[in-house]
Amino acid sequence: MHTDLVAALDIGGTKIAGALVDGRGRILLRAQRPTPAREDGDTVMRAVEEVLGELTRSPLWGGARAVGIGSAGPVDASAGTVSPVNVPGWRGYPLVERVRAATGGLPVELVGDGVAMTAAEHWQGAARGHDNALCMVVSTGVGGGLILGGKLHPGPTGNAGHIGHISVDLDGDPCPCGARGCVERIASGPNIARRAIEGGWRPGADGDMSAAAVAVAARAGDPVAVASFERAAKALAAGIAATATLVEIDIAVIGGGVAKAGSVLFDPLRRSLRDYATLSFVRHLTVGPALMGTDAGLVGAAAAALSQEAGAVDLRPAVGS
Amino acid sequence: MHTDLVAALDIGGTKIAGALVDGRGRILLRAQRPTPAREDGDTVMRAVEEVLGELTRSPLWGGARAVGIGSAGPVDASAGTVSPVNVPGWRGYPLVERVRAATGGLPVELVGDGVAMTAAEHWQGAARGHDNALCMVVSTGVGGGLILGGKLHPGPTGNAGHIGHISVDLDGDPCPCGARGCVERIASGPNIARRAIEGGWRPGADGDMSAAAVAVAARAGDPVAVASFERAAKALAAGIAATATLVEIDIAVIGGGVAKAGSVLFDPLRRSLRDYATLSFVRHLTVGPALMGTDAGLVGAAAAALSQEAGAVDLRPAVGS
């Protein structure tokens, strides 16, 4: 009988995934629903409750001690609410309270999806053993999270590590967030594709105009495709170097669809990093691909719940000992 | 008899200051020497030893339990060495070991000067009561430090918070650090003055071509002077917003000579901050002037030593209780 399980929820604009995860990060049970992203808030919550219902009806549920939630942002961990950009029915939605009610009052830990991915990479993946790390997802958007001093740094509201929306080009193109020249505005998949198309690159017979198709062209030597990835790499390098200069990290881990471009992204990224990470204490910084794949959200939500529990135990050493 | 004193050293390119500081941050004794910045490393160290000698010969010295050092950077707290840009005789200089030897083996805590200033503002100044803060010095250079989760965040090498050398303009002017478009390259006093002169501003009869003189002109309505401060403010805003987006801070405190420009700097800075700090969790961010003045380095070095001691006590509760 497992007595060290946590329930994990990974909530995005496309799907709501749930799992029971053990203390070693193994997923023992899964449940999933499509996110009814265009419906009202209560309808979205019913999908979450269906996922939780599959978990709570399992004979394993008795071992679950806490719930970790990684949600598309913005989140507000201090208020227990979420306002995912792609789920308009949830604005300041009291997700923590509702999940607590649906799970018989278990403690609930909420973090942003970038923070959850970071917790997973630190626990089981490419940031394992690193006390100071930035982990990123470069995909349709650019998100991230931080490990500082050996611990997850979610920040007071669970949003820290939001590297996609730091400006590395203060006079640059307007970003949907309201600022200019954000890392995401230059380095996300759609922006890599947009820049290639603007430069004259054209898709092949399959009509695929994604960043993945641009990566294939870049690997074949198409100079416009190469240049678009180099520009993305430059923005990522400036953002990663800024992070290292601000908080001292020694590794940046990059996941998400754009990272699948491999050397097309990582080679110019490592070159650009030498240009922007110049001070003595950041020059040793390395970058590498994420290792956790599509389960990072679930495993990371579990890790966030477990690390919060560990914190609580530290504060109350008599409990559970 | 004081038994809760720490010795503090504030080491810069111009002067080496020392003090005995009590547990409330009061300076009980001071000593100072000019920094023989062009001399060899041992000559510079002799000046430090003279400062320490004035402190150790005091009857108060018996109460000193630790030494805190805030030094011009880069520093390497993990190695105990310093390499101040303006003191070429010190490169990887083993300052911690030498200070320990000169003080009879007291524990020595080394941090960069921006981190020291931050510790002072958090302990006694404008960041007091804030659990998540960025403190900055905007002067000949631009430095800084971070308070995260209520604690000083020096980072493994004591250099965290180095906001002057994050790039906010990845295609911008080359910075002496090797990168481009760094905050310091746009917002430091010499760069504010340079830009005003390039734009056609001319000093008055006194010939003063400093940023302070540009601030006087800006206050009198000179459009070129105003524009130069606005550009500096924009770079500072982008850097502060990046910091808040990465680690979640709720206040940025700005000291140093350029901050003395007052509303000439702070008004456009607050406007620009609204343009760059756009995500929900950073919109409440405020900025304000530092309060600690020229003693910030000494008080902050003392604070760093005391906070390190507090950490040690936490780890070993039987000691000293």
Side-chain angles (χ1 to χ4, degrees):
Chain A
M1 173 71 192
H2 286 279
T3 56
D4 61 343
L5 303 183
V6 290
L9 286 172
D10 176 16
I11 297 180
T14 307
K15 66 178 170 60
I16 294 163
L20 285 174
V21 182
D22 76 7
R24 294 180 179 180
R26 290 175 299 201
I27 293 178
L28 305 184
L29 178 67
R30 294 172 187 270
Q32 188 168 311
R33 290 289 183 285
T35 306
R38 298 291 125 196
E39 308 291 325
D40 64 286
D42 287 343
T43 303
V44 182
M45 188 63 213
R46 271 197 296 279
V48 174
E49 286 162 349
E50 286 173 25
V51 167
L52 286 171
E54 286 193 32
L55 303 181
T56 57
R57 284 191 298 273
S58 157
L60 290 168
W61 179 260
R65 301 184 314 198
V67 185
I69 307 173
S71 173
V75 304
D76 185 344
S78 62
T81 60
V82 299
S83 311
V85 173
N86 296 327
V87 186
W90 277 2
R91 285 295 170 270
Y93 191 82
L95 181 62
V96 166
E97 182 189 317
R98 298 296 166 89
V99 168
R100 192 182 292 126
T103 56
L106 286 186
V108 177
E109 176 72 6
L110 168 66
V111 295
D113 49 8
V115 174
M117 174 270 189
T118 299
E121 291 293 335
H122 185 237
W123 192 17
Q124 307 268 330
R128 193 169 175 170
H130 290 271
D131 283 348
N132 297 280
L134 166 69
C135 299
M136 306 172 63
V137 177
V138 185
S139 175
T140 311
V142 175
L146 291 167
I147 302 292
L148 298 179
K151 290 180 190 159
L152 190 65
H153 180 80
T157 73
N159 289 291
H162 236 94
I163 190 172
H165 292 286
I166 71 170
S167 176
V168 289
D169 185 9
L170 80 178
D171 302 314
D173 292 329
C175 181
C177 78
R180 285 180 177 273
C182 292
V183 169
E184 177 173 302
R185 181 65 178 80
I186 304 172
S188 73
N191 280 298
I192 290 170
R194 174 191 53 76
R195 201 165 38 236
I197 291 164
E198 286 172 5
W201 171 80
R202 291 294 172 266
D206 62 359
D208 184 354
M209 293 170 54
S210 70
V214 179
V216 171
R219 204 166 294 114
D222 181 306
V224 171
V226 167
S228 188
F229 267 92
E230 284 177 345
R231 184 71 182 164
K234 197 173 188 178
L236 291 171
I240 292 167
T243 306
T245 304
L246 282 169
V247 295
E248 296 199 19
I249 54 168
D250 53 39
I251 189 170
V253 171
I254 307 183
V258 172
K260 294 200 176 74
S263 60
V264 166
L265 178 73
F266 283 96
D267 286 356
L269 175 53
R270 292 192 175 105
R271 283 198 301 273
S272 281
L273 211 46
R274 286 197 288 272
D275 294 335
Y276 291 98
T278 58
L279 301 188
S280 56
F281 66 98
V282 299
R283 267 188 228 132
H284 63 285
L285 178 64
T286 59
V287 293
L291 296 176
M292 293 298 291
T294 51
D295 283 339
L298 284 171
V299 174
L306 286 165
S307 74
Q308 182 56 28
E309 245 201 343
V313 170
D314 282 346
L315 293 170
R316 296 169 300 179
V319 175
S321 65
Chain B
M1 174 70 192
H2 287 278
T3 57
D4 61 345
L5 303 184
V6 290
L9 285 173
D10 177 15
I11 296 180
T14 307
K15 65 177 171 61
I16 294 164
L20 286 174
V21 181
D22 75 7
R24 294 179 179 181
R26 290 175 300 202
I27 292 177
L28 305 183
L29 178 67
R30 293 172 186 271
Q32 188 168 312
R33 292 288 184 282
T35 306
R38 299 290 124 198
E39 306 292 326
D40 65 287
D42 287 342
T43 304
V44 181
M45 189 63 213
R46 272 198 293 280
V48 173
E49 286 162 348
E50 285 174 25
V51 167
L52 286 171
E54 286 194 31
L55 303 181
T56 57
R57 284 191 297 274
S58 156
L60 291 168
W61 179 259
R65 300 184 313 198
V67 185
I69 307 173
S71 172
V75 304
D76 185 344
S78 62
T81 60
V82 299
S83 310
V85 174
N86 297 328
V87 186
W90 276 2
R91 285 295 171 269
Y93 192 82
L95 181 62
V96 166
E97 182 190 315
R98 299 296 165 90
V99 168
R100 193 182 291 126
T103 56
L106 286 186
V108 178
E109 176 72 6
L110 168 67
V111 294
D113 50 8
V115 174
M117 174 269 191
T118 299
E121 291 293 334
H122 184 237
W123 192 18
Q124 307 267 330
R128 193 169 175 171
H130 290 271
D131 283 347
N132 297 280
L134 166 70
C135 299
M136 307 172 63
V137 177
V138 184
S139 175
T140 312
V142 175
L146 291 167
I147 301 292
L148 299 179
K151 290 180 189 158
L152 190 64
H153 180 80
T157 73
N159 288 291
H162 236 94
I163 189 170
H165 292 287
I166 71 170
S167 176
V168 290
D169 185 9
L170 80 178
D171 303 313
D173 293 329
C175 180
C177 78
R180 287 181 176 273
C182 292
V183 169
E184 178 173 303
R185 182 64 179 79
I186 304 173
S188 73
N191 280 299
I192 289 170
R194 174 190 53 75
R195 201 165 38 236
I197 292 163
E198 286 172 5
W201 171 80
R202 291 294 172 267
D206 61 0
D208 183 353
M209 291 170 56
S210 70
V214 179
V216 171
R219 204 166 296 115
D222 181 307
V224 170
V226 167
S228 189
F229 267 93
E230 284 176 343
R231 184 73 182 162
K234 197 173 187 178
L236 292 170
I240 292 166
T243 307
T245 303
L246 282 168
V247 295
E248 297 200 17
I249 54 167
D250 54 40
I251 189 170
V253 170
I254 306 183
V258 171
K260 294 202 175 74
S263 60
V264 166
L265 177 73
F266 282 97
D267 286 355
L269 175 53
R270 291 190 176 106
R271 283 198 302 273
S272 282
L273 210 47
R274 285 196 290 271
D275 295 335
Y276 291 98
T278 58
L279 301 188
S280 56
F281 66 97
V282 298
R283 267 188 228 131
H284 63 285
L285 178 64
T286 60
V287 294
L291 297 175
M292 293 299 290
T294 51
D295 283 339
L298 285 171
V299 173
L306 286 165
S307 73
Q308 184 55 29
E309 246 202 342
V313 170
D314 282 348
L315 292 171
R316 296 170 299 179
V319 175
S321 66

